Amino acid sequence: MSEPSFRAKFACSEGCDFRASLTEVVYRCPTCGGLLEVRHDLSALRSRAASEWRSLFDSRFGAARLPLASGVWGKREWVYPDLEDGDIVSLGEGRQPLLPLPRLAAELGLASVDLKQCGISATGSFKDLGMTVLVSAVARMRRLGRRVRAVACASTGDTSAALSAYCAAAGIPSVVFLPRGKVSLAQLVQPISNGALVLSLETDFDGCMRIVQEVTRDPSIYLANSMNSLRLEGQKIVAVELCQQLGWEAPDWVIVPGGNLGNAGALGMGFELMLSLGLIDRRPRIAVAQAEKANPLVRAFRSGFADLSAVQAQPTLATAIQIGSPVSMRRAARTLRSFDGVVEEAAEQDLSDAAARADLEGAFTCPQTGVALAALSKLARAGTIARGSRVVVVSTAHGLKFYGFKEGYHRGTLAEVDGRWRNPPVEVRATAQAVEEALDRRLG
Ligand SMILES: *Cc1c(COP(=O)(O)O)cnc(C)c1O
């Protein structure tokens, strides 16, 4: 088969006719100020039949060596088609398990609930999927002689961990802007270890985001937040991969926790691409889940997306989505409209119990995934998610990054939470008899 020339460029996501190369330093449409998206040459992609794409991707799913062993670069024609091997910066992202939770599914009357384990990755969150694409693009820019002194991001923790790890792999300086005292210790230690310049600012995420946008007006400091649409090209692979793992079928519902809302849009892009190339033939419905304490999209949804205004985010255990002014709100609203989507929210108690409940089935969930799982229960009990549905919940980070949340839950020290599934260690005297009594009490 001769290799068709697949191409992609930046285009305005609001429909203006602006176009730019993926190596340009540009984040917004100069005409309307809207976000950009990566536009692929669909007619070139259509020159391969759906069955050819499926077997190509399936054959690469077992590849042993990078870059094709990466779940993102194993689908490189759909991500950044003309990127050369030498520019790819990969830590082996993607190819993450789809973990079935059959007991939870049965309890909710659903055919299946699967957790897409995006936190099982190099830095422990789905942010790796997008960062491999962005940092690879920067590596290419630098090779082509563009002056990029550093890559920078504002972060609720996981973006900075991913950015600094990929930059460390590529030997590119990174700068991360963190809201002081609002990220977990594990998340703070990651960019420190990977050699980033870690700026701890006395503000919240929204404040950090404002400052990083100002600083990156200097084109030699490249912006790595998800308003940079290169990130979404990698993140959309979650949609493709989960359908592949279901035998190239879309589930009935996909639920994702939403903060800055890039991921919700990215999922939509992945499903759209598969639909337009014929790899799947059904449109799943999408649910975005937010914490009650930081719920701008919930409010927007209730207004039929007429009102997309920001809120002041309140402290929540789901710190990675404690965002009041999401950069990708418009994009997420569009995605939800075209996927017959809904938005649901979760209280602190419910997100904590839902996370703990999934752990009892073998997962080790972060509080953000707890928000998505709590939304799943609410939507299934309300009948919005019909009985017998097949549901995939996107687990966005590894629970180990949030061990303070886990420990607090089981110790019973979290504010506003009285854990239903608390399982604190049992203190026993160091004798066989005391231990046997403890066994009998627990096991009957
Ligand atoms: C970033 C992040 C989110 C939110 O993703 P958005 O694309 O900003 O909506 C959710 N969960 C975790 C663990 C994250 O790191």
Side-chain angles (χ1 to χ4, degrees), residues 238-292:
V238 172
V240 183
E241 197 170 285
L242 71 87
C243 290
Q244 181 177 20
Q245 288 168 307
L246 294 172
W248 294 110
E249 270 191 45
D252 298 308
W253 281 89
V254 179
I255 308 182
V256 63
N260 227 358
L261 300 175
N263 216 19
L267 278 177
M269 289 160 50
F271 289 122
E272 283 302 352
L273 194 51
M274 283 184 286
L275 286 160
S276 55
L277 297 176
L279 277 82
I280 55 170
D281 52 18
R282 248 165 21 94
R283 208 165 259 278
R285 294 182 70 185
I286 295 179
V288 176
Q290 294 198 303
E292 272 181 14

Side-chain angles (χ1 to χ4, degrees), residues 125-127 156 158-159 226 235 257-264 320-321 323 366 368 396-397 402:
S125 87
F126 78 85
K127 300 293 200 299
T156 54
D158 292 328
T159 301
S226 61
Q235 290 172 207
N260 227 358
L261 300 175
N263 216 19
I321 52 175
I323 296 176
C366 75
Q368 295 69 225
T396 47
F402 295 87

Side-chain angles (χ1 to χ4, degrees), residues 347-415:
E348 301 294 289
Q349 172 82 51
D350 297 342
L351 74 88
S352 305
D353 279 335
R357 165 71 182 76
D359 291 358
L360 292 175
E361 217 163 331
F364 196 64
T365 49
C366 75
Q368 295 69 225
T369 305
V371 169
L373 287 162
L376 164 68
S377 288
K378 275 173 115 171
L379 292 167
R381 292 184 207 285
T384 310
I385 297 182
R387 293 185 72 78
S389 296
R390 292 170 312 155
V391 182
V392 173
V393 176
V394 178
S395 170
T396 47
H398 202 297
L400 285 173
K401 297 188 86 169
F402 295 87
Y403 62 80
F405 163 71
K406 295 289 190 197
E407 188 198 6
Y409 182 87
H410 290 289
R411 280 193 196 283
T413 57
L414 298 181

